[in-house]
Amino acid sequence: MSYQNFKPEVWSQTILKALRETGVFAPGSHKEFKGDIKKAGDSITFRGLADPTVHKVNFEDRNKAIPAPEVLEDLSLKMMIRQIRVVNFGVGDVDEAQASGDLMSLTKESLPQVISDEIEQYIASLAVSNDAPKFNNGTPLLIARGASSATQKNPMDLVDDLVEALRDNKVPAATPLEMIVSPTFYKLLKQEYRELDTNNSGVLSTGNIGKYNNVTIKQSTNVHKSGTNNANHHLLIRTKNFIGYADAIRKLEAYRHPDLFEDIIKGLYLFDAKVLRPKQGFFVPVKFS
C-alpha cells in the first residue's frame, strides 16, 4: 500500500509550477482573478477599471476648476470554467517511483508538457471564436518573402501593419507586445530579418528573432490551423491583457489497482480562457505560397 505515502498537495504544486513555465499562449495571458475553482462550472472574475480620461488644461485656464471626477467603467469580466482534463495512469510502485526520481521527472516534465499542449491548443483555438478580433476581417493573407503587393504580404511588413493597427486601437507605444507565430512564418520572418541585419547579431545566431519593431516574436507548433489541409495558420499578436486564463488542479490521488500489482495516479485539471480586451490584440489568419 505504498500509494498511501503519496502527497498530492506536494505533487500538485510541482505540476502547477512546471505548467506555468511551459508553453507560449498561457504564460503570456492575464492570470489575475478573484474566486476559487473547485469544480467545473465555477465562475471566476477578472477585475479591472477603464483608463481615466486625461484632460488638457490651457495655460490661461490654470487657475480654474478642473473637470469633475469621472466614474470609471468597471471592466470586470466573469468567466465560467468549462475545460476539463483528466489523467489516470499506473506508476508501478509509488515509493519506488518517488525514491528513484521517476515520479519527479514525470510531474515536472512529461505530465506538465502533455497538459500544456492541451491548454495551448485550446487558447490558440480562440482564433475562430465569435468574440475574437480578427485581422483583415478574418480573410487569410498570403505570406511570402520579397516586396509586399496587392496579392501577398512580406512577413516583416505584416508585423509593421499589426503594430500600426494596435496603435490605432489606442494601445500605448510603451505597452509590450508579443506575437506568436507558426514555425513556417517564423522561418520566413527570420530569413527576411537576416538580410537586413548586416551585423550578424547574436540574436540571429541563436535562431531566435527575439524582437522586431518592439514586438517579442515567439513560435509555437500549437498555432491554430484551419481550412483545406490546415493551410490557414492563425497567428496572434497581443498585450498581456488581451486573453485571460485561469486554472487549477482540483484532484490528484493515488490508489492501488484492485486487479493489478500497481499503484495508480489520477488527476483532475480545470481551466479556461477568453478574450478580455478585444482592442489589445488580433488573431491573424495567414497562408503560404
Side-chain angles (χ1 to χ4, degrees), residues 6-231:
F6 182 73
K7 295 178 173 57
E9 64 280 358
V10 174
W11 297 111
S12 292
Q13 290 305 311
T14 300
I15 294 170
L16 274 177
K17 183 177 185 298
L19 265 175
R20 288 164 182 166
E21 297 172 351
T22 304
V24 176
F25 286 91
S29 300
H30 181 80
K31 295 185 285 289
E32 297 178 10
F33 61 89
K34 300 283 187 180
D36 294 324
I37 303 173
K38 296 182 178 179
K39 63 183 185 304
D42 283 347
S43 291
I44 55 92
T45 302
F46 297 103
R47 303 197 55 119
L49 295 172
D51 295 330
T53 301
V54 177
H55 301 276
K56 178 182 177 180
V57 178
N58 295 324
F59 180 77
E60 57 272 19
D61 297 328
R62 64 190 182 280
N63 294 320
K64 295 182 180 180
I66 64 174
E70 62 181 324
V71 177
L72 295 181
E73 179 186 359
D74 185 355
L75 297 181
S76 297
L77 290 172
K78 289 187 178 294
M79 181 177 74
M80 182 181 291
I81 305 300
R82 298 174 180 271
Q83 298 303 308
I84 307 167
R85 302 292 186 274
V86 297
V87 293
N88 192 19
F89 56 91
V91 295
D93 182 280
V94 164
D95 277 349
E96 290 182 3
Q98 290 185 135
S100 67
D102 290 344
L103 193 55
M104 178 64 76
S105 176
L106 179 71
T107 54
K108 291 186 71 174
E109 298 172 11
S110 58
L111 186 56
Q113 183 60 62
V114 295
I115 295 176
S116 175
D117 280 344
E118 290 284 317
I119 298 165
E120 296 283 289
Q121 291 165 21
Y122 176 74
I123 297 177
S125 74
L126 295 178
V128 291
S129 63
N130 292 332
D131 59 347
K134 302 170 181 62
F135 192 70
N136 198 40
N137 295 319
T139 301
L141 293 162
L142 178 62
I143 304 299
R145 295 184 62 192
S148 294
S149 68
T151 58
Q152 68 180 35
K153 181 69 69 172
N154 175 291
M156 295 178 70
D157 288 344
L158 176 60
V159 178
D160 292 337
D161 290 347
L162 292 169
V163 172
E164 182 180 5
L166 288 176
R167 301 309 177 214
D168 289 343
N169 279 354
K170 308 302 182 185
V171 174
T175 301
L177 297 176
E178 174 183 85
M179 188 170 177
I180 303 174
V181 304
S182 63
T184 304
F185 185 92
Y186 185 86
K187 179 181 179 180
L188 291 173
L189 180 62
K190 187 173 69 172
Q191 289 171 343
E192 289 291 319
Y193 190 63
R194 182 186 293 121
E195 291 182 358
L196 293 181
D197 195 299
T198 57
N199 294 324
N200 191 25
S201 70
V203 169
L204 288 175
S205 69
T206 66
N208 184 356
I209 291 293
K211 282 191 174 183
Y212 170 68
N213 196 1
N214 290 323
V215 180
T216 299
I217 309 292
K218 298 181 179 180
Q219 65 171 323
S220 172
T221 56
N222 287 315
V223 163
H224 188 71
K225 299 179 178 65
S226 66
T228 304
N229 297 323
N230 289 326

